[in-house]
C-alpha cells in the first residue's frame, strides 16, 4: 500500500524554472475561478441562469460576511476577501478529485495567504490611522498597573494570528486526505487478501465514502472560516480602538 504522505509530495514539472505540481494546481485553481466566473456572468441577464445565480450567491455571501464583520466601510477590501475565499474553496475542492494535488495541504501556501491578510491589516492600519493603530494593543478601561501585561498579551495574540490562520486550514486538509488514503488502502488490502477478509472490505469502503462526504463539507467550511477570520482581522485595521 502506498504511503498516505505520498500524495502531498511536491514534484518538479519544469525543473529549470522550479515549476512544480503545486504551482500547476495553484494556476489551475486561478484559471478555474476566472474562467468559471467569466463564463457564468458573460450574459449578465436580469433573470439569471443557474451559473449566474451561483456566481451571484457567492458574491453576496462574501459581501454580507464582510459587511457584517466590518461595516460598509469594509467593502473596499471586497476584491481581496472574495479572491481569498474563492481560491481556498476552489483549491480545497480540486484537491478532492482523485489524482489531483491539494495545495492547501501545504503550510507554506496557507501561511503565505495568512501573511497577505495580516500584512494588509498592518499596512492599511498604519496608513489610515498612523500610530493610533497601536491602540489595537491597548484595550480601554485597563488599570495602568496592568497595562504592560495586557499589551504583551495583545501583541503575542496579534503575532500568532497568521500561525493559527494558516495551521487551521493546513491541518484540516492534511488530516482529512490522510484519513481518506488510509481507509482506501484498507479496502484494497482486504480485497487483495482474498478469502474471508474480502467480506470485511465494505466496512472501510463505507467509512471512506462517509469521510469523502465529510471532506467536501470541511473543504467548504474551512474556506468560510478563513474568510470570516480575514474579515474580523480587517475590522481591526478599520477600527483599531477597543
Amino acid at each position: 500500500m502506498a504511503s498516505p504522505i505520498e500524495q502531498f509530495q511536491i514534484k518538479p514539472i519544469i525543473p529549470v524554472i522550479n515549476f512544480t505540481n503545486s504551482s500547476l494546481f495553484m494556476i489551475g485553481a486561478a484559471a478555474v475561478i476566472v474562467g468559471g466566473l467569466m463564463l457564468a456572468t458573460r450574459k449578465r441577464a436580469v433573470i439569471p441562469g443557474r451559473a449566474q445565480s451561483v456566481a451571484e450567491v457567492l458574491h453576496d455571501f462574501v459581501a454580507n460576511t464582510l459587511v457584517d464583520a466590518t461595516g460598509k466601510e469594509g467593502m473596499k477590501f471586497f476584491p481581496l476577501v472574495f479572491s481569498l475565499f474563492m481560491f481556498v474553496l476552489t483549491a480545497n475542492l480540486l484537491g478532492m478529485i482523485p489524482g489531483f494535488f491539494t495545495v492547501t495541504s501545504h503550510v507554506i501556501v496557507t501561511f503565505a495567504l495568512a501573511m497577505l491578510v495580516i500584512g494588509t491589516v498592518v499596512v492599511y492600519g498604519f496608513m489610515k490611522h498612523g500610530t493610533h493603530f497601536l491602540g489595537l494593543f491597548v484595550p480601554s478601561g485597563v488599570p495602568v498597573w496592568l497595562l504592560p501585561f495586557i499589551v504583551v498579551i495583545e501583541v503575542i495574540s496579534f503575532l500568532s494570528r497568521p500561525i493559527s490562520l494558516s495551521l487551521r486550514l493546513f491541518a484540516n486538509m492534511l488530516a482529512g486526505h490522510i484519513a481518506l488514503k488510509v481507509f482506501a488502502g484498507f479496502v484494497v488490502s482486504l480485497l487483495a487478501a482474498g478469502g474471508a477478509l474480502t467480506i470485511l472490505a465494505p466496512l472501510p469502503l463505507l467509512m471512506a465514502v462517509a469521510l469523502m462526504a465529510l471532506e467536501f463539507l470541511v473543504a467548504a467550511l474551512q474556506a468560510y472560516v478563513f474568510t470570516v477570520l480575514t474579515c474580523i482581522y480587517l475590522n481591526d485595521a478599520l477600527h483599531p480602538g477597543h
Side-chain angles (χ1 to χ4, degrees):
M1 183 174 65
S3 169
I5 304 299
E6 185 178 350
Q7 60 183 314
F8 306 112
Q9 290 180 354
I10 295 180
K11 301 175 183 178
I13 297 177
I14 308 177
V16 177
I17 58 173
N18 201 27
F19 188 80
T20 65
N21 53 347
S22 180
S23 308
L24 176 63
F25 279 95
M26 281 191 278
I27 293 175
V32 169
I33 295 167
V34 174
L37 291 176
M38 290 181 63
L39 187 64
T41 59
R42 70 189 188 283
K43 295 182 180 179
R44 299 181 184 179
V46 177
I47 302 177
R50 293 180 181 178
Q52 185 176 331
S53 295
V54 172
E56 291 179 359
V57 167
L58 291 171
H59 175 280
D60 292 344
F61 171 74
V62 175
N64 292 335
T65 302
L66 182 57
V67 171
D68 288 344
T70 65
K72 292 184 178 179
E73 187 181 358
M75 282 301 290
K76 64 182 66 178
F77 293 112
F78 177 79
L80 170 65
V81 178
F82 185 74
S83 298
L84 286 172
F85 172 76
M86 291 300 298
F87 178 80
V88 173
L89 178 63
T90 304
N92 288 351
L93 293 177
L94 284 177
M96 296 300 300
I97 300 175
F100 278 33
F101 186 81
T102 311
V103 296
T104 48
S105 65
H106 280 264
V107 70
I108 187 62
V109 175
T110 59
F111 186 72
L113 296 177
M115 286 303 298
L116 174 62
V117 173
I118 301 303
T120 301
V121 170
V122 172
V123 171
Y124 182 84
F126 277 111
M127 286 179 60
K128 182 175 176 60
H129 304 286
T131 55
H132 180 65
F133 175 68
L134 296 176
L136 180 66
F137 308 112
V138 186
S140 59
V142 177
V144 176
W145 66 270
L146 193 59
L147 203 56
F149 302 99
I150 298 298
V151 169
V152 171
I153 292 173
E154 290 288 338
V155 170
I156 294 174
S157 175
F158 185 84
L159 294 177
S160 68
R161 286 180 176 182
I163 299 174
S164 61
L165 190 60
S166 58
L167 288 181
R168 182 180 293 105
L169 175 58
F170 148 75
N172 276 278
M173 300 311 298
L174 181 74
H177 281 65
I178 289 177
L180 276 175
K181 183 73 172 181
V182 169
F183 279 100
F186 284 159
V187 176
V188 175
S189 298
L190 291 172
L191 289 175
L197 291 177
T198 306
I199 302 175
L200 301 176
L203 297 178
L205 176 61
L206 291 174
M207 182 59 72
V209 172
L211 280 173
M212 178 71 75
L214 180 62
E215 270 298 285
F216 275 106
L217 176 63
V218 170
L221 184 61
Q222 286 304 311
Y224 171 69
V225 170
F226 194 95
T227 303
V228 169
L229 291 176
T230 296
C231 294
I232 292 173
Y233 297 158
L234 289 172
N235 182 58
D236 288 339
L238 293 166
H239 312 105
H242 285 256

